[in-house]
Amino acid sequence: MYRLHSFCQSGNCHKVALTLQLLRQPWEPVFVDFMNGATRSSAWRDEFNEMGEAPVLEFIELGEETRLTQSGLIMTVLAERHADFMPALAGRNTRERREVLRWLLFDNHKFTSYLATYRFMKSFGASAPDPAVLAFLKTRMDAAFAIVESHLRTRPFLVGDHLSLADLSLSAYLFYPDEEFGGDVLAGYPYLRAWVIRLMAIPGLKGPYELLPGERIAPRW
Ligand SMILES: N[C@@H](CCC(=O)N[C@@H](CS)C(=O)NCC(=O)O)C(=O)O
């Protein structure tokens, strides 16, 4: 049984939940009270994650309690541990596995990072966002979107001709409703939109509010 320390506003936690679902692994969510500062407390950092972030995945491995952080690492470990269920998830061969890793790194650095920060500041931050900061984030987000849009013009999935961790990682935040981004962020990106719709139709790929714990919060604006 896996324990996923998580909360429903977190697309990074959603990435791991989607992976567990697809691999048909038993898991239970453990609520992280992120909005009230849980991950900023020294107790959290000492016990769960010195990086001060969710998600954290706990499980027993070779008789020992194991704790993993960083969604990209967690997803990779899960796909390797349960390869029987879906061998292609981490890539079918060395070349594909490298490609999956390349997209996970791009996601963490340039795709999710700007998209998630933009959404959080727009809808859930403690105070009204600085318009100049929002504009900067939106520009960076659109630059990353354009790269993925171009890549998806000629293929249905990011790596190979099948679903992989790369798709789960980059799409997780796009399962959230438009209103949390202040509008339709996929307007002008038809290939990205078609890809997200394709992923949402895969059995087991549920939205974050169906899978993760915590109260849904209305966007502030
Ligand atoms: N690269 C990390 C990012 C994790 C992350 O930023 N999580 C957010 C919640 S969605 C968080 O805990 N942020 C705390 C902070 O940045 O201080 C991952 O993929 O796990």
Side-chain angles (χ1 to χ4, degrees), residues 7 10-12 15 34 39 45 52-55 70-72 108 173:
F7 60 103
S10 168
N12 289 308
K15 296 172 189 185
F34 180 87
T39 55
R45 291 178 183 210
E53 297 175 334
Q70 288 296 336
S71 62
N108 277 250
Y173 273 89

Side-chain angles (χ1 to χ4, degrees), residues 74-113:
I74 300 172
M75 295 164 85
T76 304
V77 170
L78 286 172
E80 286 168 359
R81 278 171 69 89
H82 306 294
D84 293 356
F85 282 92
M86 232 181 148
L89 208 53
R92 279 184 306 212
N93 49 45
T94 304
R95 191 176 290 261
E96 278 192 8
R97 279 192 286 279
R98 287 180 189 157
E99 271 299 287
V100 170
L101 178 58
R102 194 167 77 96
W103 282 105
L104 290 180
L105 293 168
F106 177 79
D107 180 43
N108 277 250
H109 182 202
K110 299 235 173 95
F111 194 91
T112 281
S113 57

Side-chain angles (χ1 to χ4, degrees), residues 56-179:
V56 175
L57 189 75
E58 290 180 312
F59 57 101
I60 305 291
E61 187 176 44
L62 302 174
E64 279 187 29
E65 183 68 44
T66 302
R67 201 169 275 151
L68 297 180
T69 76
Q70 288 296 336
S71 62
L73 171 70
I74 300 172
M75 295 164 85
T76 304
V77 170
L78 286 172
E80 286 168 359
R81 278 171 69 89
H82 306 294
D84 293 356
F85 282 92
M86 232 181 148
L89 208 53
R92 279 184 306 212
N93 49 45
T94 304
R95 191 176 290 261
E96 278 192 8
R97 279 192 286 279
R98 287 180 189 157
E99 271 299 287
V100 170
L101 178 58
R102 194 167 77 96
W103 282 105
L104 290 180
L105 293 168
F106 177 79
D107 180 43
N108 277 250
H109 182 202
K110 299 235 173 95
F111 194 91
T112 281
S113 57
Y114 292 115
L115 173 63
T117 310
Y118 179 83
R119 166 177 165 269
F120 187 86
M121 292 188 74
K122 182 101 188 161
S123 291
F124 303 122
S127 53
D130 180 335
V133 174
L134 272 189
F136 166 78
L137 292 171
K138 179 83 169 58
T139 304
R140 298 295 293 165
M141 184 179 100
D142 279 322
F145 276 20
I147 286 165
V148 182
E149 173 78 1
S150 172
H151 186 74
L152 288 171
R153 255 172 220 282
T154 51
R155 40 177 81 77
F157 299 103
L158 289 170
V159 176
D161 55 1
H162 56 85
L163 180 77
S164 75
L165 297 177
D167 299 294
L168 301 183
S169 192
L170 279 92
S171 69
Y173 273 89
L174 296 169
F175 279 65
Y176 286 105
D178 289 350
E179 57 173 5

